[in-house]
Amino acid sequence: MATNRTFTMIKPGAVKNGHIGAILAKINEGGFRIVALKYTKLSAEKAGEFYAVHSERPFYGELVKFMSSGPIVAAILEKENAVADFRTLIGATNPADAAPGTIRALFAKSIGENAVHGSDSDENAAIEGSFHFAGTEMF
Ligand code: UDP
Ligand code: MG
């Protein structure tokens, strides 16, 4: 079922480098409505759980360490075609390949520290949104 929602995190590197406001502005300019928003920090255990799908990949340990290294901003976003349009707005996983003007091209430092997360399917958007937010925190 298409939900027209996606889930994002502004990752610790982008938070640390002062890009929260600029990234939220890009999200607003991109036509996304904020359904839920939270400034929080993942424990290593929670980060490992969130990225469990990548547990066999060589970068998993570094990814979990990085994602639990500092605060993040988590959000659920709404727009027609949200998942695909948000992936377009953020650009390729590796910022070296991200199209000019995309969030990752503008704010990511490397493939590991790539500024933002974006869900890859409607199903995962719902799972990831519920991982971070209670129903009472979604508007
Ligand atoms: N990642 C990494 N090295 C890689 C591939 C991915 O460090 O070779 C990290 C990167 O932070 C990425 C996350 O793992 O955002 C999840 O990978 P995925 O392939 O799902 O990329 P995404 O959906 O975030 O573009
Ligand atoms: Mg992914």
Side-chain angles (χ1 to χ4, degrees):
M1 189 191 76
T3 59
N4 292 331
R5 287 184 179 184
T6 191
F7 171 78
T8 188
M9 290 183 284
I10 302 176
K11 298 186 179 186
V15 170
K16 197 173 175 180
N17 292 323
H19 299 314
I20 293 176
I23 291 173
L24 289 177
K26 292 286 287 179
I27 289 170
N28 279 333
E29 288 158 15
F32 292 86
R33 187 181 77 79
I34 292 173
V35 173
L37 187 70
K38 186 180 283 184
Y39 190 41
T40 185
K41 187 170 182 290
L42 293 171
S43 63
E45 191 187 355
K46 277 294 204 186
E49 211 182 305
F50 184 88
Y51 282 108
V53 63
H54 294 303
S55 61
E56 302 305 317
R57 310 274 292 275
F59 56 82
Y60 179 69
E62 280 302 311
L63 178 60
V64 169
K65 196 170 149 191
F66 170 60
M67 287 304 297
S68 57
S69 68
I72 60 157
V73 174
I76 297 172
L77 308 174
E78 192 168 74
K79 180 186 186 296
E80 207 176 297
N81 203 31
V83 167
D85 283 3
F86 192 69
R87 299 286 310 194
T88 301
L89 183 70
I90 68 178
T93 305
N94 187 344
D97 302 326
T102 59
I103 290 174
R104 281 170 167 167
L106 290 168
F107 304 114
K109 291 178 69 173
S110 64
I111 190 168
E113 304 197 8
N114 61 0
V116 284
H117 169 81
S119 303
D120 62 8
S121 65
D122 288 339
E123 186 191 5
N124 283 335
I127 292 168
E128 292 170 359
S130 303
F131 183 91
H132 285 267
F133 295 99
T136 52
E137 296 175 306
M138 302 176 194
F139 304 99

